[in-house]
Amino acid sequence: MIRAGVVGATGYAGAELCRLLSGHPQAELAAVSSVSFEGQALSDVYPAYRGVCDMVCGTQDEVVERSDVVFAALPHGLSQELAADCYAKGKVFIDLGADFRLENEGDYRQWYGGTFLHPDLHALAVYALPELFREQIRGKKIIANPGCYTTAVPLALAPALKNGLILKEGMIADCKSGVTGAGRKPSQNTHYPELNEGMSAYKVACHRHTPEMEQSLSHVAGAPVTLTFVPHLLPVNRGILATCYARLTPGVTMEQIEKAYHDAYDSEYFVRLLPKGKEADIKNVRCSNFCDISLHVDSRTGTFIAISAIDNMVKGAAGQAIQNMNLAFEIEETAGLKALPPAF
Amino acid sequence: MIRAGVVGATGYAGAELCRLLSGHPQAELAAVSSVSFEGQALSDVYPAYRGVCDMVCGTQDEVVERSDVVFAALPHGLSQELAADCYAKGKVFIDLGADFRLENEGDYRQWYGGTFLHPDLHALAVYALPELFREQIRGKKIIANPGCYTTAVPLALAPALKNGLILKEGMIADCKSGVTGAGRKPSQNTHYPELNEGMSAYKVACHRHTPEMEQSLSHVAGAPVTLTFVPHLLPVNRGILATCYARLTPGVTMEQIEKAYHDAYDSEYFVRLLPKGKEADIKNVRCSNFCDISLHVDSRTGTFIAISAIDNMVKGAAGQAIQNMNLAFEIEETAGLKALPPAF
Amino acid sequence: MIRAGVVGATGYAGAELCRLLSGHPQAELAAVSSVSFEGQALSDVYPAYRGVCDMVCGTQDEVVERSDVVFAALPHGLSQELAADCYAKGKVFIDLGADFRLENEGDYRQWYGGTFLHPDLHALAVYALPELFREQIRGKKIIANPGCYTTAVPLALAPALKNGLILKEGMIADCKSGVTGAGRKPSQNTHYPELNEGMSAYKVACHRHTPEMEQSLSHVAGAPVTLTFVPHLLPVNRGILATCYARLTPGVTMEQIEKAYHDAYDSEYFVRLLPKGKEADIKNVRCSNFCDISLHVDSRTGTFIAISAIDNMVKGAAGQAIQNMNLAFEIEETAGLKALPPAF
Amino acid sequence: MIRAGVVGATGYAGAELCRLLSGHPQAELAAVSSVSFEGQALSDVYPAYRGVCDMVCGTQDEVVERSDVVFAALPHGLSQELAADCYAKGKVFIDLGADFRLENEGDYRQWYGGTFLHPDLHALAVYALPELFREQIRGKKIIANPGCYTTAVPLALAPALKNGLILKEGMIADCKSGVTGAGRKPSQNTHYPELNEGMSAYKVACHRHTPEMEQSLSHVAGAPVTLTFVPHLLPVNRGILATCYARLTPGVTMEQIEKAYHDAYDSEYFVRLLPKGKEADIKNVRCSNFCDISLHVDSRTGTFIAISAIDNMVKGAAGQAIQNMNLAFEIEETAGLKALPPAF
């Protein structure tokens, strides 16, 4: 069994990691830590886990010591030293935060206000969106797990972009996120009576996930691309719906588009291309690692529309992290991630 | 008192008309009709109205006879004969359906599958979005009340388009609607357990409101324009959030945009331009006739983003219909529409 | 116009008072105060109010000075000095908090941990649940406005209890409350993702509203009664549903029960007795001052079941406070409170 | 592998059976049937299942033929012939409907309007609430799976009743159910806009689950008992919260109560007794077979309050049916039912 540890286990992504690891056939939850809840059982923080996952939160050091792989679910800026420690001790390090996601330190400084403390570690790190960059992940020790929007949007646009079926300019991602994306800490805008029956955009065209998406899409396109990104907060718990718009390359047909997506994704267990006439729905991927994608063309205006749906906590965080662990340890990529999403 | 009648009073738009009319200082609910609930009290269908609005549903003919103004909240295709009858009897006719919205019969045939039964009546009808076409509404007898999306999107884009601040090509409206927009009749996709915690697009780039929006925007632009329109269904009761994207005309500044919108809307009671840094939220307009609009620029990509929020049942249906009645009868335009939206 | 001031205007009850007062035909919002938001406009805190209710929050002293009636929506313990100040200055004081609700200082000490600072003021105060104690309210200057549960439960049980149709022992109130009852301050249990799709009881048999309900019911019964009270938190914004159980006095019939309730409530504008076969629903009273009541008998077990539904923020707080203001100023009791609840 | 078939697979309980069976280590989904969707894939009806559970719906006969155990999720009245067929062919038959739950044909006739077609089969059937009647289930061929309310309420009250700690008279179950309990078929009261933000009771003191609960409680008590049962419909998808009230036997202490419950449930995997000061919440059992129970005493009134929470679709239907299959086939009782409930 792979001994897996979770640093920051009482945040939402950390708790979801514990849930998924508790059902993993080849890994076991070896240790958890939490600064806020040190000494308390995970099931005191999340009573849903009572009787099944009652492990007591220890320190970060204890997690490193007891684990073969360390998952870090920490606020940005706190992962770099931990990565160094894990690397020195030969542990696999999987970061659910943003510290290792951006290749360019300038981007990191601009969008997050931090610096690369160990440039050598950044050089060793891999940006791990398996469906796009799988071959670079195998055997890696420092793994940057993508964020939620930054999983949903590139998966929706990549095959069209890679095959030149859409223009590189003018892509737009109108995204809608469930509230768990805002984390466990209460705030005014996630207070039940204020969010319920509401819906609005936030951080319009200035969300930190923008450069990360552009980085992935630029790799796919083989040239720098920009993207307009507008996130919205939905009154539901889980899910990202990404409605992505791009201008069709003149002359491109729906058949060409469908072929490109089938070529890219038919062998991908976690990507489900929907049949014509269906629309991706966050409902259908809840609690699962699936990414559902539906494809649409507005021939009146020459616009391509790809809609993807993921569970922000699973394919957008903890599930993808486990998928990456599976890749890093070269076991079955889907291990521990095959539970069916509930239908309702 | 203006005697107001509602045909189709037990549908959602009809019921909302009754609610608003019951508080109107210069109009009174004179008669209501319903095919499905003839002979039953409105408060049997909507127990919320018990004791205040217990009027019994009669026939369409009774409504016409007892009313100075007839509101029709009917499925498309059923309003044309009623309009002719009202016109012949000198009643003001306000249609909440689509029969008189499209100026071009070809568009109507293409998108709705119907024909213009009385072309002369269509020539007399006015498309009544007051903030854009007010002067044409005064004194009219046949009034086509806009739909919900077709109110939210043109209001968001008109000032920029009219002043040449955005390009006519490539406009996109990513809209999110509350469930009441789907009407009172139960269906699988509005069954509580299937919509709750879900979110998806529907009728992607093929919704019937598309030509109506293009018609309004073309009038504003002074030239034909097309639009990519993608509606989504939200798990909330009321509201349309329209996130509208357009390419900025090169060189245009945020200051120019703000000036155009303030010029257009500062004297409009029902349009609230939000201060910089705020985003329009459907929460803040519920049960009211307000349209909140926030303006954003993505200078990295040269994209203009205007976000509007309305209550689909009020500014998007019944409230705007009463606003139009007020205009037609030349009373205070805001009469009966000043109730504050609840804060939670 | 009655000049009405609100102390604590940015809490939920205070904000609801401002909403209702803004539509009152014989009162006007004269001043508002807030410790947390002094100097800010009410519409900065509640953007729904923008353009209609932009009054800036001042100090408590300013409110007293500018008002004929002062509404206090404060945490318990803070109203007594304010009441004294208002009384000295000849203002009517209406307290939405608990300081003046309990007649017995021992009860107040036991359940709230406070003392009566001005016993003479307590002697002048009236507990103002109009449908039960109307005659004692007229002309009073210090008015204790009941809480939400303490409005719903006594209204449901009073006619049966008063007429000896149920036993005084063994009454149970199983109540379900919307989240606004927990106030505006975010907390873990009202954080959207943790409450959504959840439902549980809280403060089981130890909620502070217990002695207040027992006080009202004891007055009605003419003898001391106790009550088992279990509140639950519902994932909805507004509403109290009180399912009240009592043992039928042997031999009592449904007809006797119905007669007692009709005698008590047929002349009450705000109480709506539902016809046989209907159940009270919080949905139908939202944003209104109505209290819907349905009556049921389990003849198999000899149990009487009365179910009442109110909007906790209106009949359970701000609306009833305005009803009491109307009584105190001897104007139409329903003034400003006649808006129809939305049907959806 | 046990070959498991599901008759009525496209209803909610049937679909949940398929979800749970797809993850069962010792059983496999062998065949499914549906009258409404014959010839269609399960994943066409429930797109969440796409790619994982695409089995096509066949006929009831095909299910019987291909299965070792047949689960029936049918409207009441339709299971009796199917049971006879299965019994004749040596299959285990597990009925999620009501046909075999009531021991007394008079009760069945009174509450369901049907008759016992095969009294001999009823004599062979067992009422299968494992935590109360486990020993009678092992090796049985015809298994009546309890309903949702009828699982939650007896589990909450049984230990107190069995040990004489509460009186047999005057028990009350105030229950709150998620909407999936109303089934997949759309109706007006489960139409999203009409249920959302609403809450009411239904079938007050006349719900069909009443005699089933009384039957179980009478067995536990060793004497006939009656119960007042009031169900409510909650705007959430899953869950039953049962708040149960009973009169304490004079002199009984909380310690005695706690001991009785610990004795009864400490060895039960699926029952979680909560620590003092916590309240059972439907949130914490979603998608799991757990039943959480919290115990409370109102010493002021001599009332015992037990609150239980289950997922109506799992412990209240499909999960318990699989638990019973495990018992019938004498494999590990928890097999296939150990997935952790999601924390949010």
Side-chain angles (χ1 to χ4, degrees), chain D residues 251-299:
Chain D
V252 164
T253 64
M254 191 60 181
E255 287 63 40
Q256 288 173 280
I257 290 170
E258 287 182 343
K259 180 172 186 315
Y261 279 77
H262 279 287
D263 287 352
Y265 292 140
D266 277 356
S267 62
E268 292 292 343
Y269 182 86
F270 294 121
V271 178
R272 302 191 294 194
L273 280 182
L274 301 192
K276 207 172 279 193
K278 303 290 183 187
E279 295 89 11
D281 190 329
I282 56 171
K283 178 96 189 175
N284 296 328
V285 297
R286 278 182 315 149
C287 299
S288 87
N289 204 48
F290 287 117
C291 174
D292 281 4
I293 297 178
S294 62
L295 306 171
H296 315 266
V297 161
D298 185 357
S299 54

Side-chain angles (χ1 to χ4, degrees), chain D residues 32-35 37-40 56-63:
Chain D
V32 295
S33 77
S34 164
V35 170
F37 297 95
E38 196 184 322
Q40 293 185 45
V56 172
C57 296
T59 65
Q60 183 171 306
D61 285 350
E62 289 166 346
V63 172

Side-chain angles (χ1 to χ4, degrees), chain A residues 174 193 214 245 283 300-301, chain B residues 174 193 214 228 245 283 300:
Chain A
D174 186 291
E214 291 178 342
Y245 301 88
K283 178 95 188 176
R300 300 170 59 260
T301 63
Chain B
D174 186 292
E214 291 178 342
T228 296
Y245 301 87
K283 179 95 190 176
R300 299 170 59 259

Side-chain angles (χ1 to χ4, degrees), chain C residues 155-175:
Chain C
L155 289 181
L157 289 172
L161 189 62
K162 184 177 183 180
N163 291 281
L165 306 176
I166 55 174
L167 304 189
K168 292 184 185 65
E169 298 76 37
M171 290 185 291
I172 292 171
D174 186 291
C175 294

